Amino acid sequence: MPDGSGAPPPLAGLTVVSFEQAVAAPYCTRLLGDLGARVVKVERPGAGDFTRAYDDVADGLATHFVWLNRNKESLALDVKAPAARAALDRLLDTADVVVQNLAPGAAKRLGLDAAGLVAARPRLVAVDMSGYGTGGPMDHRRAYDLLVQAEAGACATTGEPGRPAKPGPPVADVGSGLQAAVAILAALVGRGVHGRGAAIEVSMFDTVTDFLGFALLHARYSGRERPPIGMSSPVVSPYGAYSTRDGRIAVLGTTNDAEWQRLARQVVDRPDLADDPALATNGQRCEQRGRIDAAIGEWARGRDLADVLARADAAGIGNAVYNEVLDVVEHPQLTGRGRWQEVGSPVGPVASLLPPWTSDAWTTPLAPVPAVGEHTRAILTELGLPGGEVDALCAAAGLPAPTTA
């Protein structure tokens, strides 16, 4: 069940307004919603966020949308329509945080860019999320996860030589959403100290190049590229995946010389390798990765997975099982800790994972995934718009008139 003591979560009482689509901004605001913020998602009337139509696998809903949009209210409003502007301004006046990842230039044309919003509302924390940031020759480009990962070099570090691959999770999108959430939380702390908000910009390209970390620094200082090596690491050895006798794959990793000694002596029964001065350091072992992997691979092929993992555990060597995604659905580490929960949705309860954090200090909210425009009438009424204006805006959004008893 959700963690906590029943106390309100830390962002309770804060309002986030988001002009969002796809993954990066919705992931950011879902994190804020999971921490208790009220998140108002402004959607295009009718279609809404385009990820709603990616598939219908989650009992008729798109898996992308279910993943990213619990704990949110949907306001269907045509932000380009002059008739909606008064309502939009009232909504922005109630906001503590505004997040947008509209197409390049769109937010500024609509008066929804972070700098403009904060200039008009100095206590506001506003975030522009984009592919390439402001300035430079690429700031006008649309950017999607694959495009940014390719441009920023992430795909060149994945796969095998001559066979690059995109990392499976959308790390450009999710990483940028996480970076934005961190910056927002910092800005809110700062506002509590000095009373001022902040205009923030998060670039997916900057996120991925930061994630490259040591690979980018190594290339800069050495002038060379480390080739991708599949399920291994270019910087430590041994570290990789090994097939076992029963048709499974064990993943073993060492990170220092002491672990290498334990693996060679206590796990694979090769004291000769442990004593070999040509394998004494990590750098030497990386140079002879093929020799080491061949020895470990031969040993693993003669044993079942359970035996390989047990021996690694006994020797204090990091180990894991190579799982496919379907294997993880009922993974005992998820089911045993109650990580799967249900949230409401337009089609009834749907499965959702709890956020990665846990705390006894609060209870994590798990409010429903909304239908397009589900909260439009309630939000507009709450903003104090006259009933006739509420009716007109709801009608313009294609929403049904309220039912009468």
Side-chain angles (χ1 to χ4, degrees):
M1 295 299 293
D3 51 297
S5 59
L11 298 187
L14 293 177
T15 297
V16 177
V17 175
S18 189
F19 304 88
E20 62 182 29
Q21 54 198 346
V23 177
Y27 187 73
C28 168
T29 57
R30 198 213 77 187
L31 295 176
L32 301 177
D34 289 346
L35 288 166
R38 180 188 187 187
V39 179
V40 177
K41 181 183 181 84
V42 182
E43 296 195 77
R44 296 171 297 165
D49 184 330
F50 58 71
T51 61
R52 286 182 178 272
Y54 271 10
D55 60 54
D56 59 1
V57 174
D59 292 338
L61 301 180
T63 49
H64 266 73
F65 198 81
V66 169
W67 166 42
L68 295 167
N69 289 284
R70 67 181 178 222
N71 291 325
K72 297 183 184 181
E73 300 172 34
S74 175
L75 170 64
L77 203 63
D78 181 358
V79 298
K80 297 179 182 179
R85 191 68 208 197
L88 188 59
D89 284 337
R90 289 197 189 198
L91 176 64
L92 293 170
D93 287 342
T94 70
D96 297 283
V97 177
V98 175
V99 179
Q100 69 84 16
N101 69 333
L102 302 177
K108 193 169 184 65
R109 290 193 297 271
L110 293 168
L112 298 175
D113 61 296
L117 289 173
V118 174
R121 300 168 178 84
R123 285 184 54 82
L124 186 66
V125 175
V127 183
D128 293 335
M129 302 187 69
S130 66
Y132 297 100
T134 301
M138 298 181 67
D139 67 352
H140 65 287
R141 286 195 181 180
R142 287 180 177 267
Y144 307 124
D145 184 82
L146 168 62
L147 307 181
V148 174
Q149 289 204 47
E151 188 76 38
C155 296
T157 66
T158 309
E160 298 175 347
R163 299 178 63 190
K166 184 187 89 66
V171 295
D173 278 327
V174 170
S176 298
L178 184 59
Q179 299 279 20
V182 170
I184 288 166
L185 296 178
L188 289 171
V189 171
R191 187 179 74 170
V193 174
H194 50 62
R196 298 187 303 276
I200 299 166
E201 185 174 49
V202 175
S203 154
M204 294 167 65
F205 183 79
D206 293 341
T207 294
V208 177
T209 52
D210 184 54
F211 283 4
L212 280 179
F214 60 82
L216 198 59
L217 285 172
H218 184 274
R220 177 181 177 123
Y221 282 100
S222 71
R224 294 181 290 106
E225 296 236 9
R226 287 189 173 113
I229 50 176
M231 285 190 61
S232 187
S233 167
V235 297
V236 291
S237 176
Y239 196 101
Y242 307 94
S243 297
T244 61
R245 182 171 57 191
D246 52 350
R248 304 296 300 280
I249 298 176
V251 183
L252 304 175
T254 62
T255 58
N256 55 58
D257 295 340
E259 289 182 354
W260 156 245
Q261 288 290 320
R262 295 201 302 275
L263 184 143
R265 295 180 189 279
Q266 301 173 37
V267 179
V268 300
D269 298 321
R270 290 294 300 271
D272 58 309
L273 296 179
D275 293 336
D276 189 339
L279 303 176
T281 68
N282 180 65
Q284 291 173 309
R285 293 192 294 276
C286 286
E287 291 176 359
Q288 299 194 50
R289 184 188 309 276
R291 175 188 170 197
I292 294 173
D293 282 345
I296 299 173
E298 180 182 7
W299 172 83
R301 285 191 296 273
R303 288 162 177 80
D304 289 344
L305 176 70
D307 181 42
V308 171
L309 301 185
R311 289 176 70 97
D313 276 338
I317 298 300
N319 64 88
V321 179
Y322 166 77
N323 282 317
E324 296 186 350
V325 177
L326 197 59
D327 299 321
V328 183
V329 171
E330 297 296 334
H331 196 293
Q333 197 65 13
L334 294 178
T335 58
R337 296 163 60 238
R339 300 297 298 165
W340 283 113
Q341 296 291 313
E342 289 187 336
V343 299
S345 82
V347 299
V350 290
S352 190
L353 281 175
L354 289 170
W357 58 76
T358 59
S359 175
D360 291 335
W362 70 82
T363 298
T364 297
L366 290 175
V369 176
V372 179
E374 178 179 343
H375 303 89
T376 301
R377 185 172 296 277
I379 292 170
L380 296 177
T381 301
E382 178 187 331
L383 293 173
L385 270 69
E389 290 186 29
V390 172
D391 290 341
L393 289 170
C394 288
L399 299 172
T403 57
T404 56

